């Protein structure tokens, strides 16, 4: 049976428990386009017996960041209650239990489920603390065959990790079916775990947090310094330790501690560091449970109409204005862990107090928690957003050096650390990445079928052509890949030069081209730093060259003699969006945030975005026809710098075509885009150049009236009006009327002229500078 058929067996899902996790899981199933039944208990009060589940859906529609990728997804959620609707489970192929972490209540539910479910239906628990053997105690062998643990991470839409725990009686086919569905449909990376306390991520994560908190109290490190040392320099979330605790909730700490201390053996290293602090107990008791409460280690003081961020003193328990921290400087703040832990004084001492015990502990749980080190690294990167997993961190420090220091400090040295000796946990052999196994041998890191990563290709290949901002790679089967490589993958002259170089190379030697990279952002747009530098020295010819060069390069992509598929993920803004719009097809990752945002920095799209969006909305069969309908819609989207908050929403806004497919799993994006490109290659013909009939002056008058109304209501600023007028001039076709044809080249000329007028405007220059300095738009 193929992988595709395995996941295809799950056509409807039931989630029982409409709390934060259960509702979020249900939303992600709906995001995948799969119907989901969401059940919870009948509330004690009120006449609506489905109120809890219905309320959860209503709340999610208002939540930011949004659990739903679009409002249409919410329509796939059917709500109900356990008393009246449990029999509907018989129509579902997977039942996910996400109720309260109490064994007796879970077992009571399973007894009811066993009577109504269809045999063969997968049943899983989202538990993070209760062993599988206890959950299925008393159930039939048939139920045990269909049961497993699927531990999602919060928020379920955005966190990519799912820990899979199978029992000794679990049917491998059922486990494979659920794992495949979670991978392909829900966008998760399944990590196989053993049935051990805390599984992987929460076991290491709880140890790490406890070690960091203990050390901060013991060493009298301020929370600002602790977060500065134990955050970004270590490649963990920039919140740092105490900021992270505020985010997840202080009240969760004692809960996780109690769970682990009650289930781990007495000699486990966590038992030795688990402790409570009177200050933390006091904060929880007074409602300081973190961001969800009145504050936590940090809080916002709004007295006297102000908004001052305050930090608590761990010794006195008093709050004062957060002063930030500058204790970590230079290369230590750039991921050099060996140097970080060697810095004399509190920086190095505190860093070691966290990393030493945590890395030792991580090595100690293999193979107890998972069979291979890759699972540990994946779990921490995907479940806790670490840039590097524990074993990757060990390689950065050096395993032998780590062992030497652990022994010197009397800390445990797990057998796996001794076993690797002077070697590394990862190596590249014959162009393949390998990991060190518990058997003392190296093994290839095997990717699932349908996963293709550029990082793997780079292990055994050199780029076909490259410069400082972009590269062209051979990704196999006659497909080339254009990669942006600058900071945030911003676009500049070198990118446009490489595109122009790549087109004839691909035309000669390849069937198709994919535009893709593995950075956190597909592209944050044009390089504003270079643009403002040119503006400041009045190098207008350089700005003109950048705009015209971008137009020429992107149209070279559009009209190339081979199909071009853009595969964005993360931010695809401004010029990054225009790259996508000029491609034959877009294969977006579900978490693609795409938009033409130029008006926010006082300019308008300059690389063909206006014409491409007009063409999409004119061709939209569900949109009204006529010269003004598409113009008004595109003006609304572009003038407000609207950004789609998902690929699904990008379809609704017209950035992505209805025929474009969405990839849920980030690791499958390149493979999917490559397959899409190949499917278009045979008999490919470039698109015909579009022609437009646009409203001209009459259309501008209508748009200007709307902007004036926004200005009077205080929604639009004076310079918004200026920018909007330039945008309106382009979108309405300049000096034309509906009886005349406006060509694509004419629209590009209008874009160029409007762009150049705006970049010379001091108010636009102020917006660009403000965005570079603060990351926020200037409302001038």
């Amino acid at each position: 049976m193929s992988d595709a058929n395995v996941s295809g067996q799950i056509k409807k899902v039931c989630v029982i428990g409409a709390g934060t996790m259960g509702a979020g899981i249900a939303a992600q199933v709906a995001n995948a386009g799969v119907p989901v039944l969401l059940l919870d208990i009948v509330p004690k009060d009120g006449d609506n017996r489905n109120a809890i589940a219905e309320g959860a859906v209503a709340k999610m529609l208002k939540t930011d960041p949004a659990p739903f990728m679009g409002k249409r997804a919410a329509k796939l959620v059917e709500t109900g209650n356990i008393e009246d609707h449990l029999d509907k489970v018989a129509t579902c192929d997977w039942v996910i239990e996400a109720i309260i972490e109490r064994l007796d209540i879970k077992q009571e539910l399973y007894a009811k489920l066993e009577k109504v479910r269809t045999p063969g239906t997968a049943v899983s628990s989202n538990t993070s603390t209760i062993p599988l053997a206890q959950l299925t105690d008393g159930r039939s062998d048939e139920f045990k065959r269909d049961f497993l643990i699927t531990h999602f991470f919060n928020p379920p839409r955005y966190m990519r990790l799912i820990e899979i725990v199978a029992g000794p009686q679990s049917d491998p086919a059922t486990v494979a079916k659920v794992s495949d569905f979670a991978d392909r449909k829900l966008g998760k990376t399944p990590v196989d775990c053993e049935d051990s306390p805390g599984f992987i991520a929460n076991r290491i994560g709880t140890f790490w947090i406890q070690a960091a908190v203990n050390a901060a109290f013991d060493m009298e490190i301020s929370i600002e310094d602790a977060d500065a040392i134990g955050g970004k320099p270590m490649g963990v979330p920039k919140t740092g330790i105490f900021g992270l605790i505020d985010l997840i909730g202080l009240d969760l700490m004692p809960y996780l501690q109690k769970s682990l201390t009650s289930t781990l053996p007495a000699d486990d290293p966590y038992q030795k560091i688990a402790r409570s602090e009177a200050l933390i107990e006091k904060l929880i008791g007074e409602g300081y449970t973190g961001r969800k409460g009145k504050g936590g280690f940090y809080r916002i003081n709004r007295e006297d109409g102000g908004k001052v961020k305050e930090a608590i003193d761990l010794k006195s328990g008093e709050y004062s204005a957060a002063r930030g921290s500058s204790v970590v400087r230079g290369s230590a703040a750039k991921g050099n862990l060996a140097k970080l832990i060697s810095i004399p004084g509190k920086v190095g001492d505190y860093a070691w107090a966290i990393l030493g015990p945590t890395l030792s502990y991580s090595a100690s749980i293999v193979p107890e928690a998972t069979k291979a080190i890759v699972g540990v690294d994946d779990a921490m990167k995907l479940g806790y957003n670490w840039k590097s997993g524990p074993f990757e961190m060990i390689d950065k420090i050096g395993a032998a050096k780590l062992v030497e220091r652990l022994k010197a400090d009397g800390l445990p040295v797990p057998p796996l650390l001794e076993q690797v000796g002077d070697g590394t946990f990862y190596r590249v052999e014959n162009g393949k990445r390998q990991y060190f196994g518990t058997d003392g041998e190296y093994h290839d890191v095997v990717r699932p079928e349908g996963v293709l990563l550029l990082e793997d290709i780079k292990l055994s290949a050199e780029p076909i052509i490259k410069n400082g901002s972009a590269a062209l790679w051979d990704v196999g089967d006659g497909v080339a890949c254009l990669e942006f490589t600058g900071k945030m993958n911003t676009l500049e002259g070198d990118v446009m030069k490489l595109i122009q170089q790549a087109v004839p190379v691909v035309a000669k030697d390849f069937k198709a081209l994919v535009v893709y990279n593995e950075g956190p952002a597909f592209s944050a747009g044009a390089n504003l730093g270079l643009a403002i530098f040119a503006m400041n020295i009045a190098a207008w010819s350089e700005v003109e060259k950048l705009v015209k060069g971008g137009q020429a390069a992107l149209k070279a992509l559009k009209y190339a003699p081979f199909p071009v598929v853009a595969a964005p993920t993360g931010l695809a803004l401004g010029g990054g969006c225009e790259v996508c719009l000029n491609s034959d097809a877009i294969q977006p990752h579900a978490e693609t945030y795409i938009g033409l945002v130029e008006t926010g920095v006082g300019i308008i799209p300059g690389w063909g975005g206006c014409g491409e969006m007009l063409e999409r909305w004119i061709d939209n069969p569900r949109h009204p026809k006529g010269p003004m309908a598409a113009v008004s819609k595109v003006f609304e989207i572009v003038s407000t710098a609207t950004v789609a908050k998902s690929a699904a929403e990008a379809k609704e806004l017209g950035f992505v075509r209805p025929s474009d497919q969405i990839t849920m799993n980030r690791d499958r994006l390149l493979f999917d885009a490559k397959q899409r490109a190949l499917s278009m290659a045979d008999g490919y013909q470039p698109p015909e150049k579009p022609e437009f009939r646009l409203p001209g002056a009459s259309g501008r008058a209508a748009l200007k009236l709307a902007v004036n109304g926004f200005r009077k209501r205080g929604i639009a600023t004076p310079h918004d009006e200026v920018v909007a007028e330039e945008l309106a001039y382009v979108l309405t076709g300049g000096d034309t009327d509906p009886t005349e044809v406006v060509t694509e080249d004419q629209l590009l000329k209008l874009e160029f002229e409007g762009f150049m007028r705006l970049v010379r405007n001091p108010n636009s220059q102020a917006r660009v500078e403000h965005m570079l300095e603060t990351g926020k738009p200037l409302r001038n």
Side-chain angles (χ1 to χ4, degrees), residues 149-370:
I149 289 173
T150 52
H151 180 214
F152 290 80
F153 281 69
N154 194 34
R157 171 181 164 183
Y158 301 96
M159 300 304 291
R160 293 173 57 195
L161 175 64
I162 183 170
E163 293 179 321
I164 304 285
V165 183
Q169 291 177 257
S170 299
D171 178 14
T174 299
V175 176
K177 175 175 68 175
V178 168
S179 294
D180 189 77
F181 183 89
D183 171 352
R184 297 174 187 269
K185 295 291 188 178
L186 303 186
K188 305 302 168 194
T189 297
V191 172
D192 293 331
C193 304
E194 300 300 311
D195 192 16
S196 63
F199 312 133
I200 303 172
N202 279 347
R203 184 168 177 184
I204 294 174
T206 303
F207 185 100
W208 161 62
I209 290 172
Q210 186 76 63
V213 170
N214 289 358
F217 274 95
D218 295 344
M219 300 167 66
E220 297 185 2
I221 304 283
S222 73
I223 65 169
E224 297 103 309
D225 285 348
D227 285 347
I229 299 166
K232 201 171 180 181
M234 291 187 186
V236 301
K238 62 182 180 180
T239 56
I241 301 296
F242 291 96
L244 177 64
I245 296 171
D246 277 357
L247 181 63
I248 62 178
L250 274 71
D251 52 337
L252 187 62
M253 288 179 62
Y255 169 78
L256 288 172
Q257 184 183 111
K258 181 181 178 182
S259 169
L260 282 178
T261 53
S262 64
T263 53
L264 287 169
D267 61 349
D268 188 272
Y270 179 72
Q271 301 282 15
K272 298 177 182 178
I273 69 166
R275 75 187 201 205
S276 59
E277 299 289 347
L279 175 61
I280 295 176
E281 292 176 358
K282 179 175 179 288
L283 287 171
I284 296 171
E286 294 176 354
Y288 284 90
T289 54
R291 295 189 189 181
K292 63 185 178 182
K294 298 187 293 185
F297 293 108
Y298 297 97
R299 73 178 184 184
I300 302 297
N301 188 339
R302 292 182 171 85
E303 291 182 6
D304 301 323
K307 193 176 179 182
V308 179
K309 183 178 181 180
E310 295 183 333
I312 202 167
D313 185 291
L314 296 180
K315 194 172 184 180
S316 69
E318 300 295 324
Y319 285 98
S320 60
R323 58 177 176 79
S325 176
S326 59
V327 295
V328 184
R329 295 187 179 93
S331 63
K334 298 178 182 177
N336 189 333
L337 299 183
K339 186 170 183 178
L340 180 66
I341 62 176
S342 300
I343 296 174
K346 70 176 180 181
V347 172
D349 291 346
Y350 184 64
W352 171 251
I354 300 171
L355 283 175
T358 300
L359 297 180
S360 168
Y361 191 63
S362 299
S364 75
I365 69 169
V366 181
E368 177 200 350
T370 188

Side-chain angles (χ1 to χ4, degrees), residues 471-538:
L472 186 71
W473 298 88
D474 183 345
V475 293
D477 301 316
V479 178
C481 174
L482 173 65
E483 177 196 28
F484 307 140
T485 59
K487 185 177 181 182
M488 291 294 286
N489 292 318
T490 53
L491 307 177
E492 54 195 50
D494 277 353
V495 174
M496 301 310 163
K497 287 178 186 175
L498 194 129
I499 289 174
Q500 295 280 30
Q501 290 176 299
V503 169
V505 172
V506 176
K508 177 177 178 289
D509 298 326
F510 294 88
K511 300 176 183 176
L513 176 70
V514 170
V515 187
Y516 164 91
N517 63 72
E518 286 168 1
F522 175 75
S523 174
N527 188 327
L528 293 180
L530 289 178
I532 197 64
F533 175 76
M535 293 178 201
N536 286 338
I537 62 172

Side-chain angles (χ1 to χ4, degrees), residues 537-560:
I537 62 172
W540 304 118
S541 62
E542 291 301 312
V543 179
E544 289 179 359
K545 189 188 300 182
L546 177 64
V547 181
K548 287 187 175 179
Q551 288 186 349
L554 297 196
K555 291 310 169 188
L557 278 184
K558 181 176 180 178
Y559 296 111

Side-chain angles (χ1 to χ4, degrees), residues 112-126:
K112 294 177 181 177
L113 276 176
E114 193 160 17
K115 296 175 182 176
V116 296
R117 76 180 187 104
T118 302
T121 297
V123 180
S124 71
S125 175
N126 185 56

Side-chain angles (χ1 to χ4, degrees), residues 454-767:
L454 199 53
E455 68 174 74
D456 290 344
I457 291 169
K458 291 178 180 180
L459 296 178
S460 58
E462 295 293 329
I464 303 163
I465 50 174
K466 64 177 273 189
N467 60 30
S469 299
L472 186 71
W473 298 88
D474 183 345
V475 293
D477 301 316
V479 178
C481 174
L482 173 65
E483 177 196 28
F484 307 140
T485 59
K487 185 177 181 182
M488 291 294 286
N489 292 318
T490 53
L491 307 177
E492 54 195 50
D494 277 353
V495 174
M496 301 310 163
K497 287 178 186 175
L498 194 129
I499 289 174
Q500 295 280 30
Q501 290 176 299
V503 169
V505 172
V506 176
K508 177 177 178 289
D509 298 326
F510 294 88
K511 300 176 183 176
L513 176 70
V514 170
V515 187
Y516 164 91
N517 63 72
E518 286 168 1
F522 175 75
S523 174
N527 188 327
L528 293 180
L530 289 178
I532 197 64
F533 175 76
M535 293 178 201
N536 286 338
I537 62 172
W540 304 118
S541 62
E542 291 301 312
V543 179
E544 289 179 359
K545 189 188 300 182
L546 177 64
V547 181
K548 287 187 175 179
Q551 288 186 349
L554 297 196
K555 291 310 169 188
L557 278 184
K558 181 176 180 178
Y559 296 111
F562 49 81
V564 177
V565 176
T569 185
L571 299 178
L573 304 179
C577 176
E578 288 174 299
V579 170
C580 295
L581 293 175
N582 280 282
S583 300
D584 292 290
I586 304 176
Q587 181 77 38
H589 176 230
E591 298 300 343
T592 295
Y593 316 121
I594 187 171
L596 295 169
V597 296
E598 287 86 350
T599 58
V601 289
I603 54 178
I604 60 173
W607 290 338
C610 293
E612 294 303 323
M613 285 296 285
L614 281 174
E615 189 177 359
R616 278 164 165 72
W617 280 99
I618 289 169
D619 292 343
N620 187 332
R622 294 181 296 178
H623 196 65
K625 299 303 176 185
M628 198 60 197
V631 169
S632 298
K633 188 64 180 178
V634 176
F635 181 80
E636 173 194 330
I637 293 168
V638 179
S639 67
T640 55
T642 300
V643 176
K645 295 180 180 178
S646 68
E649 190 177 339
K651 281 195 173 188
E652 296 172 9
L653 291 169
F655 295 118
V656 175
R657 294 181 179 90
S659 58
D660 289 328
Q661 300 299 309
I662 295 171
T663 295
M664 293 296 285
N665 190 319
R666 173 69 180 82
D667 289 344
R668 296 183 176 276
L669 184 57
L670 178 56
F671 180 87
D672 289 350
K674 176 181 168 181
Q675 297 307 114
R676 180 71 196 279
L678 286 170
S679 73
M680 301 167 66
D682 287 344
Y684 174 79
Q685 293 293 324
E688 294 184 7
K689 288 196 172 187
E691 294 181 339
F692 305 93
R693 293 188 181 273
L694 300 171
S698 61
R700 282 195 296 282
L703 296 178
K704 186 172 183 178
L705 194 63
V707 174
N708 285 341
F710 289 136
R711 171 83 186 279
K712 290 176 181 177
R713 290 163 55 192
I715 298 173
T717 68
H719 195 54
D720 286 338
E721 249 184 317
V722 174
V723 177
E725 285 182 11
E726 291 287 2
L727 178 64
Y729 191 74
V730 175
L731 292 176
T732 56
D735 298 324
T736 189
D737 64 60
T739 66
E740 298 179 350
V741 168
V742 178
T743 67
E744 182 179 64
D745 289 339
Q746 287 173 318
L747 267 186
L748 288 171
K749 186 171 183 290
L750 290 173
E751 269 193 356
F752 169 76
E753 292 169 348
F755 186 98
M756 291 308 302
R757 281 191 292 270
L758 285 171
V759 295
R760 286 182 166 90
N761 188 309
N763 288 323
S764 288
Q765 293 170 14
R767 284 193 176 188

